[in-house]
Amino acid sequence: MFRSLSFAALVLLSALPVLAKNKCDVELSHGLIITDSEIRIVDNGQTRVQINNDDQLLIRGYWVELSEQETQVLYEYSRGIRDTVPELVSLATDGVNLGLSAIEQVVEGMSDKEPEVLKTQLQYVERALMDKFKRGDDFFFIAPQSLSKIDDFFTKEISKKIHSAVHGSLGAILMSLGDAFKSREGNIEDRITDMGQRMEIISREIDKSLQKKAQQLEAKAEEYCECLNTLENTETRLQSIVPSLAAYDLVQIRS
């Protein structure tokens, strides 16, 4: 599963602050699970609102009867979510084979076995990312969060965890190399030099990939903001039709 993550996640959404500075500050107040046939607004692991096939509304498990005109508003709301959120999740989890496989390339050949500390730290990275974003073969998940501050999550929390994984694993490798040197099983100076060269090359390639991703996201920022503004307006219309839905207000925008 480690390969399903990415070093690109470090700054993958670094362009989203443009969204906040130029037009709007967007916050999702509840979690969302989206499948082909359902949209579920969740709170603490419990489904509070469910939309089936874009035209049937359930609140806390109770079906809400809507007129044809009201169902059209529900449809617009459902499609607005589908047109916006899955792309955000995909961008947050894209480039999945770049980063952690690069770490493994550095480790490979440097030691007889992958340090246990690396496996443990990468599990922490995976868990932190999946708590916020998750994409499967048939679903998308996004946790409640401020979308204009996603960059903090990637560039601070995830970055710190990946750095811990790298530093911990390299420390273990150096210890292994020291043992090998003591037992005269290899030339430690040559192997350390090789390790440094590999790190430099891989770091440059990762930086290029991250820069490209940031540029792509910057180009999308205005489009996201407009879509989320429209989604909030549709949500407000739907809440006027179904007042109980206001308790599960999903999109909040602070201009």
Side-chain angles (χ1 to χ4, degrees):
M1 187 65 183
F2 295 150
R3 290 181 181 274
S4 67
L5 298 175
S6 175
F7 234 148
L10 292 177
V11 293
L12 197 60
L13 298 179
S14 60
L16 280 178
V18 175
L19 178 151
K21 293 175 183 177
N22 289 347
K23 283 201 168 187
C24 55
D25 183 355
V26 183
E27 182 172 339
L28 294 181
S29 302
H30 301 275
L32 269 175
I33 299 174
I34 303 173
T35 69
D36 288 342
S37 60
E38 295 178 354
I39 292 176
R40 290 189 282 153
I41 298 176
V42 297
D43 185 21
N44 295 322
Q46 300 293 319
T47 298
R48 304 305 185 185
V49 177
Q50 182 169 324
I51 302 173
N52 296 330
N53 300 313
D54 300 329
D55 63 3
Q56 185 183 61
L57 177 64
L58 291 89
I59 300 179
R60 299 183 70 89
Y62 292 95
W63 176 53
V64 179
E65 187 172 357
L66 300 173
S67 68
E68 183 175 344
Q69 186 175 4
E70 292 168 344
T71 299
Q72 179 60 34
V73 179
L74 176 64
Y75 176 83
E76 292 175 16
Y77 180 58
S78 179
R79 297 312 306 179
I81 292 174
R82 291 186 181 280
D83 290 343
T84 307
V85 175
E87 188 170 7
L88 287 173
V89 175
S90 295
L91 285 170
T93 56
D94 203 10
V96 293
N97 292 320
L98 294 178
L100 298 188
S101 60
I103 296 177
E104 293 176 11
Q105 289 177 37
V106 175
V107 174
E108 185 179 358
M110 294 292 105
S111 180
D112 292 337
K113 61 180 180 178
E114 188 175 275
E116 191 65 31
V117 66
L118 178 62
K119 295 180 181 179
T120 302
Q121 291 293 331
L122 292 185
Q123 286 176 344
Y124 292 152
V125 175
E126 178 182 339
R127 190 175 302 120
L129 182 57
M130 292 177 66
D131 282 346
K132 291 278 189 178
F133 306 95
K134 190 173 182 181
R135 179 178 61 177
D137 293 337
D138 57 356
F139 76 95
F140 295 89
F141 166 76
I142 187 168
Q145 59 191 290
S146 172
L147 298 181
S148 60
K149 295 181 180 178
I150 289 179
D151 63 314
D152 287 342
F153 170 68
F154 284 98
T155 59
K156 294 179 182 178
E157 182 176 346
I158 293 296
S159 175
K160 182 179 179 181
K161 290 181 183 299
I162 290 181
H163 280 221
S164 295
V166 173
H167 292 162
S169 62
L170 291 180
I173 292 170
L174 289 175
M175 289 179 63
S176 174
L177 291 176
D179 292 340
F181 181 71
K182 289 177 183 178
S183 61
R184 298 181 181 180
E185 293 177 358
N187 188 318
I188 188 170
E189 290 88 350
D190 289 345
R191 297 184 72 184
I192 290 177
T193 299
D194 183 37
M195 186 195 310
Q197 290 173 343
R198 290 193 188 193
M199 286 288 289
E200 184 178 352
I201 293 171
I202 292 172
S203 295
R204 285 201 301 265
E205 292 304 312
I206 290 172
D207 288 342
K208 289 179 183 178
S209 175
L210 296 179
Q211 184 177 10
K212 183 177 180 180
K213 282 294 175 187
Q215 291 171 346
Q216 291 173 342
L217 281 163
E218 187 172 2
K220 285 282 186 179
E222 184 175 344
E223 178 183 337
Y224 285 150
C225 195
E226 291 177 357
C227 290
L228 289 166
N229 266 302
T230 300
L231 180 59
E232 186 198 34
N233 291 336
T234 305
E235 182 178 51
T236 300
R237 290 165 56 205
L238 188 59
Q239 289 169 352
S240 68
I241 296 169
V242 186
S244 59
L245 193 61
Y248 309 106
D249 191 48
L250 178 63
V251 182
Q252 297 183 2
I253 297 181
R254 299 173 177 84
S255 299

